[in-house]
Amino acid sequence: MGIFLTLANLFFIGSVFGWCLELVFRNVVHKSDKWINPGFCTGPYVPLYGFGLCILFLLASLEQRHMISNPFWNKLLVFGLMAVGMTLIEYIAGIMCLKCFNVRLWDYSNMWGNIQGIICPLFSAIWAVMGAVYYFVVHPHILTMLNWLSRNLAFSFFIGMFFGIFLIDVAHSTNLAVMLRRFAREHQLVLHYEEIKDHIRRRQFQLEMRYQFFRPFHSDHTIYEHLKELYEIREPRLVRKVQKKRSTHKKSHS
């Protein structure tokens, strides 16, 4: 099987599995009262995990090159590279959203040794452990699965359909992020993506309106109205700015 098709399959598997993992972690471990669709996209996939699985696969394949003659240290080097690779992907995704859209997808600011609240030693260590689990538990089955796919290429049709839906979803989510960026830059804020979705969900239930799990930003109110309501409570400086704008608007009409 070509490397491109291999990575496409791995991206699909990793993105969907990562979404399931995030769903459990955010809603069960954090004991949320209601389930919230995790991630940047609307559909049941988290691209960060898709890229991560591709990186883990490529790095696990390096073990066969015997970069160090001692098998133990060779595996340890691979696990270290996995931790660095996953941390790097996490940092790139986090910094891009922060710099391009003024949006935080996650926040490690309260973690020891964090860098810009995007990465921290604890989660780098978790990535290393997950890399080891992947190598010993998942990687052999991944190789078996890829062998099956090489003999059943018709499955690639579903992979193509997935990427078609995925690209449309990314375009839609990026459009939402642009609207968030406009509000964030106007009020000099950094927005928290998951907090905004949770706020909209709570408001929908308070108003006895239907909340759509796969359309977390869908509401009878505009996104701007939800953002203003949420961040007037959290950011006193935003209250002053909104009040100033209101007073200026009234003077212009008087």
Side-chain angles (χ1 to χ4, degrees):
M1 182 184 293
I3 187 64
F4 176 79
L5 186 55
T6 296
L7 295 178
N9 281 285
L10 291 176
F11 182 85
F12 163 71
I13 295 170
S15 297
V16 174
F17 175 78
W19 181 84
C20 296
L21 189 64
E22 285 286 327
L23 188 67
V24 172
F25 179 78
R26 293 175 184 271
N27 296 285
V28 176
V29 176
H30 287 186
K31 297 181 179 180
S32 176
D33 56 338
K34 295 291 182 180
W35 294 78
I36 300 176
N37 185 7
F40 178 77
C41 295
T42 300
Y45 32 74
V46 178
L48 176 66
Y49 287 89
F51 287 114
L53 185 58
C54 292
I55 291 296
L56 291 179
F57 171 79
L58 294 173
L59 291 175
S61 301
L62 290 177
E63 196 268 340
Q64 300 176 355
R65 296 180 178 272
H66 303 289
M67 296 174 287
I68 300 177
S69 57
N70 186 298
F72 173 79
W73 291 108
N74 190 52
K75 284 185 173 59
L76 198 63
L77 175 61
V78 170
F79 299 154
L81 290 174
M82 287 178 175
V84 172
M86 292 298 295
T87 301
L88 185 60
I89 290 176
E90 189 176 32
Y91 182 78
I92 291 173
I95 200 67
M96 283 181 62
C97 286
L98 191 59
K99 296 300 182 182
C100 296
F101 302 113
N102 287 63
V103 169
R104 281 191 181 276
L105 297 180
W106 58 84
D107 192 358
Y108 300 153
S109 299
N110 60 338
M111 300 285 189
W112 174 83
N114 76 85
I115 298 177
Q116 298 174 273
I118 300 173
I119 57 175
C120 67
L122 175 61
F123 274 85
S124 293
I126 292 174
W127 289 129
V129 172
M130 290 184 66
V133 171
Y134 166 82
Y135 179 84
F136 288 111
V137 178
V138 180
H139 191 63
H141 297 290
I142 289 288
L143 296 177
T144 302
M145 179 207 68
L146 292 175
N147 181 56
W148 180 87
L149 290 173
S150 67
R151 292 181 283 103
N152 297 271
L153 292 179
F155 186 75
S156 61
F157 168 79
F158 296 99
I159 300 299
M161 186 170 61
F162 161 78
F163 276 98
I165 297 172
F166 172 73
L167 291 176
I168 294 173
D169 195 339
V170 169
H172 170 71
S173 299
T174 301
N175 183 53
L176 286 173
V178 169
M179 288 189 283
L180 297 180
R181 179 185 64 181
R182 189 180 302 119
F183 180 90
R185 292 186 175 179
E186 179 183 351
H187 299 94
Q188 299 177 11
L189 294 168
V190 173
L191 307 181
H192 291 70
Y193 205 69
E194 298 298 328
E195 186 178 20
I196 296 168
K197 289 193 291 188
D198 183 57
H199 173 74
I200 294 175
R201 176 187 63 81
R202 292 179 185 277
R203 289 295 294 155
Q204 289 295 96
F205 280 109
Q206 287 176 2
L207 298 172
E208 297 183 351
M209 303 295 291
R210 182 184 176 188
Y211 172 73
Q212 300 186 34
F213 181 79
F214 284 113
R215 297 178 66 191
F217 288 95
H218 180 73
S219 170
D220 290 341
H221 296 80
T222 66
I223 292 179
Y224 187 91
E225 289 172 334
H226 281 296
L227 290 172
K228 189 172 68 171
E229 181 182 35
L230 174 61
Y231 285 92
E232 278 183 353
I233 298 172
R234 292 189 67 250
E235 301 286 347
R237 58 180 176 168
L238 177 55
V239 176
R240 292 195 295 271
K241 286 185 178 183
V242 171
Q243 289 175 343
K244 184 177 179 181
K245 287 182 180 180
R246 286 173 180 169
S247 62
T248 303
H249 181 71
K250 288 179 180 179
K251 287 180 181 179
S252 64
H253 284 272
S254 60

